[in-house]
Amino acid sequence: MRTVTLEILNDKAMSLLRDLEQLKLLRFRKDSQQATKQAKKKVTFDAVAIDTTGFKFD
């Protein structure tokens, strides 16, 4: 058995790898670094934009 580290470049490659896993030609193993990256929740801030053209402010 060999271990190879891959960098997945797009969703098509990931889909192909999942198909190969279902055929039992390869096996995914969670890496400790990968698990910590996925564990962190990405925080987003949504702002409200208000059109103020035509208003005069002091």
Side-chain angles (χ1 to χ4, degrees), residues 9-27:
L9 299 178
N10 60 33
D11 291 334
K12 290 180 184 179
M14 191 65 191
S15 175
L16 179 62
L17 289 171
R18 295 253 183 242
D19 290 343
L20 291 173
E21 183 181 34
Q22 289 178 353
L23 293 171
K24 300 194 185 296
L25 296 173
L26 56 84
R27 177 179 30 196

Side-chain angles (χ1 to χ4, degrees), residues 29-48:
R29 184 177 62 184
K30 293 275 184 179
D31 190 23
S32 62
Q33 288 179 340
Q34 190 74 343
T36 57
K37 283 183 182 179
Q38 291 178 355
K40 293 181 182 179
K41 184 178 178 183
K42 185 177 180 181
V43 179
T44 59
F45 296 97
D46 295 326
V48 177

